[in-house]
């Protein structure tokens, strides 16, 4: 009984979020997982905005037996090197019946291996300890809300939901979420964040009304290729650069401090091409086992532990249990 009570206490924020979402949206989600909350909130907002029948929308799907990836790649994806152009041509010449297991490509560019899969791009330098010093600095570059942002900027939508989906996604979820976050409305901000993040994953779920695997493919493939464009530009333009990692929605490099302005100019140019936003963190040390298992310390002393390095699984403001 004491353990159950303690588990309840440590779950109070998540329980309160579900109560407040029920009050605000009439969403009976007390027993829903985070992803189901996101999906069901999107369904409710979509039906409210479009006036479509809830049951009909809930049962709708777009089933695909064949996805032509040449029709998925955005027109502005382009490369300068033979290596990355070969990968681009491989994607454009590929047809798949499903996402899982059918995308498995790699390329070595300037001594660093980039792996492409159904979920995202990955790559990592050999295991070791990497430090900033008086000459060099380690900079982590992440794309803000990569998959939701790709969908909104490029007007992607599951075919059966039509273009109205884009309007709902942007104006009923993303923009209100940013406004709520700015105003300190944690309930609304957290609820809409769950909805924003659930769309990509649920778009490849046969049990979800968001199901359209071509939507998933366009999101993940272009995300990988856009990050590759950034990596290529950085490696070609900055002579003394070491690529440490690339992982789904960002990359980490070690450069001369005198090249920081050049890096930010390259990143700004990439932002202008893609209409996505980059965020930066500077590390003074990284201890790397592989792309999913590392420890990094920021210049202001904050520690980021991933994978095997997550020794304290209840760090942060939330006291909820760790996903493991």
């Amino acid at each position: 009984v004491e353990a159950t009570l303690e588990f309840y206490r440590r779950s109070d924020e998540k329980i309160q979020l579900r109560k407040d979402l029920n009050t605000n949206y009439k969403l009976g989600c007390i027993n829903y997982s985070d992803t189901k909350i996101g999906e069901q909130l999107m369904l409710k907002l979509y039906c409210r905005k479009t006036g479509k029948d809830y049951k009909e929308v809930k049962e709708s799907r777009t089933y695909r037996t064949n996805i032509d990836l040449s029709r998925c790649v955005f027109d502005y994806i382009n490369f300068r090197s033979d290596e990355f152009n070969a990968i681009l041509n491989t994607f454009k010449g590929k047809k798949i019946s499903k996402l899982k297991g059918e995308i498995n490509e790699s390329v070595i560019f300037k001594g660093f291996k980039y792996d492409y899969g159904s979920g995202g791009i990955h790559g990592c330098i050999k295991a070791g300890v990497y430090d900033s010093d008086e000459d060099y600095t380690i900079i982590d570059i992440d794309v803000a809300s990569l998959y939701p942002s790709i969908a909104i900027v490029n007007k992607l939508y599951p075919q059966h939901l039509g273009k109205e989906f884009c309007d709902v996604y942007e104006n009923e979820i993303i923009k209100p979420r940013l406004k709520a976050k700015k105003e300190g409305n944690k309930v609304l901000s957290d609820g809409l964040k769950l909805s924003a993040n659930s769309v990509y994953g649920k778009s490849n779920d046969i049990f979800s009304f968001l199901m359209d695997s071509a939507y998933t493919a366009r999101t993940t493939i272009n995300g990988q290729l856009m990050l590759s464009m950034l990596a290529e530009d950085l490696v070609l333009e900055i002579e003394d650069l070491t690529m440490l990692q690339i992982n789904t929605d960002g990359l980490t490099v070690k450069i001369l401090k005198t090249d920081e302005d050049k890096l930010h100019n390259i990143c700004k140019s990439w932002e202008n091409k893609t209409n996505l936003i980059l965020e930066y963190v500077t590390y003074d040390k990284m201890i790397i086992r592989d792309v999913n298992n590392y420890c990094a310390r920021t210049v202001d002393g904050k520690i980021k532990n991933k994978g095997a390095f997550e020794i304290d699984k209840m760090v942060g403001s939330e006291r909820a249990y760790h996903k493991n």
Side-chain angles (χ1 to χ4, degrees), residues 45-176:
L45 292 173
Y46 177 84
C47 291
R48 187 175 74 180
K49 182 73 173 180
T50 61
K52 294 182 179 180
D53 181 73
Y54 178 89
K55 289 184 178 179
E56 284 186 15
V57 175
K58 186 179 179 182
E59 297 302 318
S60 63
R61 312 279 191 279
T62 295
Y63 297 100
R64 300 187 185 268
T65 56
N66 189 285
I67 305 171
D68 184 351
L69 298 189
S70 67
R71 302 180 64 182
C72 293
V73 177
F74 299 148
D75 292 338
Y76 56 82
I77 301 291
N78 61 81
F79 295 100
R80 294 183 279 168
S81 65
D82 292 340
E83 294 91 336
F84 281 120
N85 271 311
I87 280 290
L88 178 59
N89 291 331
T90 297
F91 277 120
K92 286 185 173 181
K94 204 174 185 69
K95 293 182 180 180
I96 60 176
S97 58
K98 62 182 188 300
L99 275 174
K100 192 171 183 179
E102 293 200 25
I103 299 175
N104 186 18
E105 307 293 338
S106 63
V107 63
I108 296 176
F109 182 64
K110 303 294 184 183
F112 188 90
K113 187 181 179 187
Y114 300 80
D115 294 313
Y116 301 82
S118 58
I121 188 171
H122 297 88
C124 189
I125 198 169
K126 67 179 182 180
V129 179
Y130 299 89
D131 292 289
S132 295
D133 55 34
E134 60 183 26
D135 296 317
Y136 290 87
T137 186
I138 297 172
I139 300 178
D140 185 71
I141 308 167
D142 275 339
V143 186
S145 301
L146 176 64
Y147 288 161
S149 297
I150 288 175
I152 289 168
V153 165
N154 297 282
K155 303 298 182 185
L156 303 185
Y157 54 89
Q159 185 175 307
H160 56 282
L161 297 179
K163 293 182 180 179
E164 301 100 322
F165 170 86
C166 300
D167 181 42
V168 175
Y169 200 18
E170 181 173 7
N171 296 312
E172 301 294 320
I173 292 177
I174 300 298
K175 287 183 177 178

Side-chain angles (χ1 to χ4, degrees), residues 206-225:
I206 197 171
F207 298 106
S208 174
F209 82 100
L210 293 161
M211 166 72 182
D212 181 354
S213 51
Y215 174 99
T216 322
R218 295 192 79 190
T219 305
T220 184
I221 287 168
N222 285 293
Q224 295 179 75
L225 292 174

Side-chain angles (χ1 to χ4, degrees), residues 1-47:
V1 172
E2 288 176 356
T4 304
L5 178 59
E6 181 61 17
F7 189 87
Y8 167 77
R9 285 174 174 153
R10 294 189 183 195
S11 303
D12 57 1
E13 287 187 17
K14 290 183 177 291
I15 294 169
Q16 191 58 47
L17 170 63
R18 285 153 175 76
K19 288 180 178 179
D20 291 342
L21 287 173
N22 188 32
T23 300
N24 293 341
Y25 292 100
K26 300 295 184 280
L27 190 68
C29 57
I30 195 72
N31 290 319
Y32 286 5
S33 66
D34 286 357
T35 53
K36 188 172 181 180
I37 287 177
E39 177 193 26
Q40 293 302 310
L41 184 55
M42 175 55 131
L43 175 59
K44 184 174 277 284
L45 292 173
Y46 177 84
C47 291

